């Protein structure tokens, strides 16, 4: 018998998540994702349809996983 | 030092895909504070030398050369894990496990700059603050209502905490996250009746049994230094029964006005557990603000983007000042 916490936990296919914001490239010197065409910071783009949040935006894996 | 060598006042330790840090970068740029963002996966792009005695860190890549010196460094924004729950999981090759563990240790080794700068948050403090037992103890000490709680591996604990509603919150003492073959399993907080717990396997691992807070409104309070912002969490205009993360796709967040005394209590809690930043989860029920937990590395960008909370500006100001809030001791 599984432990009660495992019994009630949700199992899913984590799949392969494409973490690269579309149309953007990571700029090592700037330290942020920038638009490939304009060089504007992704988080400063006024036309973004979905605000970037974090790498765990779509699948909950705990907030301690973000650093790597 | 040549003018093309970056000497940062603030360093950000993160990963490329931690987009929350992009907001802090934006705020630091707007006030002209020299910063350097180092991502774990980017470290092999640099030739790096850390001198633990002076201390100093030099790095160079084809596009970026930097030198970190204590006389200039004000602060570190640390968005790294302090528990290595995943380093050897997921079927990674031995070389990859090795590489991850060693670079993670390199990041934590930047604690050699402790004596000279502010950490938001300090790794040792984050490590300590991630323990729910210590969180609950600190919350009670600063005056929060805390649900009756026991940490146990037996159904004997049920009678210690069960409330009038006969419902218990059953949750992991640590993040419940396991990977097996191609699947991943994550444990949320479960609301169960005592008869649903009795007879189940509990002995093999400890867990938290907690009096369920009934008819609650979930609140997320984001604390930065001595500032705080609060959002309520609802679904279809109604408070959410159970763990709101299960409904987070459809949940709606709204600004929520906390009484000044509760704001002060949240700030005291975060400072009391040794942090400069904390994401505090409260439950409002029958006029009482119950403490549920605090996350030292909690997310906040969706609240800034959706509700306009100026959290990245506050973090940038804190980092630029190098001056933290709260009690001081051997850690910053």
């Amino acid at each position: 018998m599984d432990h009660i916490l495992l019994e009630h936990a949700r199992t899913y296919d984590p799949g392969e998540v494409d973490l690269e914001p579309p149309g953007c490239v990571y700029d090592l010197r700037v330290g942020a994702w920038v638009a490939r065409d304009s060089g504007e910071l992704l988080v400063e783009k006024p036309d973004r349809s979905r605000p970037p949040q974090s790498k765990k935006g779509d699948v909950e894996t705990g907030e301690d996983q973000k650093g790597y | 030092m040549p003018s093309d060598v970056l000497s940062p006042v603030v360093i950000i330790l993160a990963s490329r895909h931690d987009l929350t840090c992009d907001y802090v970068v934006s705020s630091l740029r707007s006030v002209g504070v020299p910063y350097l963002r180092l991502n774990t996966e980017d470290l092999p792009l640099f030739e790096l030398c850390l001198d633990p005695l002076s201390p100093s860190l030099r790095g160079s890549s084809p596009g970026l050369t930097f030198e970190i010196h204590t006389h200039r460094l004000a602060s570190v924004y640390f968005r790294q894990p302090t528990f290595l729950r995943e380093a050897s999981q997921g079927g990674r090759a031995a070389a990859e496990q090795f590489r991850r563990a060693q670079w993670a240790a390199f990041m934590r080794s930047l604690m050699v700059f402790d004596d000279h700068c502010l950490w938001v948050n300090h790794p040792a403090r984050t490590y300590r603050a991630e323990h729910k037992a210590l969180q609950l103890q600190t919350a009670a000490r600063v005056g929060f209502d805390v649900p009756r709680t026991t940490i146990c591996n037996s159904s004997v604990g049920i009678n210690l905490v069960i409330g009038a509603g006969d419902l218990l919150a059953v949750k992991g003492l640590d993040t419940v996250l396991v990977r097996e073959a191609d699947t991943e399993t994550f444990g949320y907080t479960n609301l169960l009746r005592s008869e649903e717990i009795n007879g189940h396997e509990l002995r093999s691992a400890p867990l938290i049994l907690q009096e369920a807070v009934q008819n609650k409104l979930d609140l997320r309070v984001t604390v930065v230094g001595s500032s705080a912002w609060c959002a309520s969490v609802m679904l279809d205009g109604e408070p959410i029964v159970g763990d709101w993360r299960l409904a987070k796709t459809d949940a709606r967040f709204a600004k929520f006005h906390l009484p000044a005394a509760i704001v002060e209590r949240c700030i005291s809690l975060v400072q009391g557990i040794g942090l400069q930043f904390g994401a505090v989860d409260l439950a409002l029920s029958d006029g009482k603000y119950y403490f549920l937990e605090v996350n030292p590395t909690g997310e906040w960008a969706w609240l800034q983007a959706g509700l306009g909370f100026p959290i990245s500006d506050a973090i940038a100001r804190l980092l630029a000042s190098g001056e933290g809030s709260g009690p001081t001791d051997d850690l910053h």
Side-chain angles (χ1 to χ4, degrees), chain A residues 8-52:
Chain A
H8 285 83
R10 310 293 172 102
T11 297
Y12 48 86
D13 177 1
E16 290 295 320
V17 180
D18 184 4
L19 296 170
E20 305 256 325
C24 293
V25 60
Y26 186 80
D27 187 316
L28 195 66
R29 178 173 278 275
V30 173
W33 291 88
V34 299
R36 192 173 276 116
D37 52 359
S38 65
E40 194 178 10
L41 261 62
L42 170 64
V43 297
E44 294 176 357
K45 280 172 69 71
D47 60 343
R48 63 177 190 267
S49 58
R50 178 172 178 264

Side-chain angles (χ1 to χ4, degrees), chain B:
Chain B
M1 187 184 305
S3 60
D4 58 345
V5 175
L6 173 64
S7 180
V9 171
V10 173
I11 52 176
I12 299 170
L13 305 181
S15 71
R16 278 190 177 204
H17 297 285
D18 185 1
L19 289 169
T20 296
C21 287
D22 288 33
Y23 286 89
V24 176
V25 164
S26 175
S27 292
L28 288 169
R29 287 163 63 90
S30 71
V31 291
V33 175
Y35 65 90
L36 170 69
R37 178 169 173 177
L38 286 176
N39 302 310
T40 314
E41 64 268 55
D42 292 335
L43 293 176
L45 300 176
F46 293 91
E47 289 184 346
L48 295 163
C49 287
L50 173 64
D51 176 351
L53 302 186
S54 51
S56 64
L57 174 63
R58 298 164 189 266
S60 64
S61 73
L64 175 60
T65 299
F66 66 84
E67 292 185 10
I68 299 171
H69 293 284
T70 54
H71 67 269
R72 186 150 160 91
L73 185 65
S75 59
V76 180
Y77 188 42
F78 185 78
R79 294 270 296 181
Q80 295 278 303
T82 55
F83 289 91
L84 291 176
R85 295 186 179 97
E86 61 154 13
S88 60
Q89 294 180 352
R92 294 195 176 99
E96 175 68 2
Q97 295 174 42
F98 165 77
R99 191 180 68 78
R100 283 179 173 246
Q102 297 303 313
W103 280 121
F106 182 87
M107 285 294 208
R108 294 195 303 274
S109 295
L110 299 185
M111 285 191 285
V112 293
F113 292 106
D114 268 7
D115 293 342
H116 308 280
C117 71
L118 174 74
W119 285 70
V120 183
N121 290 311
H122 191 281
R125 291 301 192 197
T126 295
Y127 182 92
R128 183 175 184 278
E130 283 191 348
H131 292 85
K132 291 174 182 168
L134 290 172
Q135 294 179 8
L136 293 164
Q137 183 185 56
T138 306
R141 285 178 177 167
V142 302
F144 270 113
D145 287 294
V146 174
R148 287 194 297 273
T149 303
T150 184
I151 298 166
C152 61
N153 70 337
S154 160
S155 58
V156 170
I158 293 174
N159 292 330
L160 300 175
V161 297
I162 198 154
D166 194 34
L167 270 179
L168 288 168
V170 182
K171 51 189 175 183
L173 187 52
D174 193 11
T175 302
V176 177
L177 176 66
V178 294
R179 297 190 179 92
E180 188 174 34
D182 296 329
T183 64
E184 196 166 86
T185 298
F186 184 83
Y188 294 88
T189 298
N190 308 285
L191 289 185
L192 301 174
R193 299 190 182 283
S194 56
E195 59 268 25
E196 296 176 285
I197 303 170
N198 275 316
H200 280 268
E201 206 285 296
L202 304 178
R203 190 62 64 89
S204 65
L207 79 172
I208 293 176
L209 295 180
Q210 194 168 60
E211 168 193 16
V213 180
Q214 307 275 18
N215 304 315
K216 65 173 172 64
L217 173 65
D218 287 295
L219 301 173
R220 164 57 68 96
V221 187
T222 305
V223 176
V224 178
S226 55
S227 300
W229 299 266
C230 180
S232 62
V233 191
M234 302 181 87
L235 180 65
D236 299 328
E238 298 289 335
I240 297 172
V241 176
D243 192 328
W244 65 259
R245 293 173 300 175
L246 284 164
K248 72 175 183 179
T249 305
D250 300 315
R252 292 291 176 267
F253 302 87
K255 291 180 181 176
F256 185 88
H257 180 73
L258 276 181
I262 303 301
V263 172
E264 286 306 311
R265 212 169 279 171
C266 289
I267 293 169
S268 296
L269 165 77
V270 169
Q271 292 178 353
I273 207 162
L275 305 175
Q276 301 296 329
F277 169 92
V280 182
D281 285 329
L282 303 179
L284 172 60
S285 175
D286 199 21
K288 288 185 175 181
Y289 291 84
Y290 289 91
F291 170 83
L292 298 181
E293 65 177 68
V294 56
N295 192 321
T297 57
E299 298 296 343
W300 48 263
W302 94 94
L303 295 171
Q304 172 160 322
L307 301 180
F309 291 164
I311 298 171
S312 67
D313 286 347
I315 292 173
R317 279 196 303 273
L318 183 63
L319 293 169
S321 74
E323 299 292 330
S325 304
T328 57
D329 53 16
D330 56 324
L331 296 175
H332 298 270

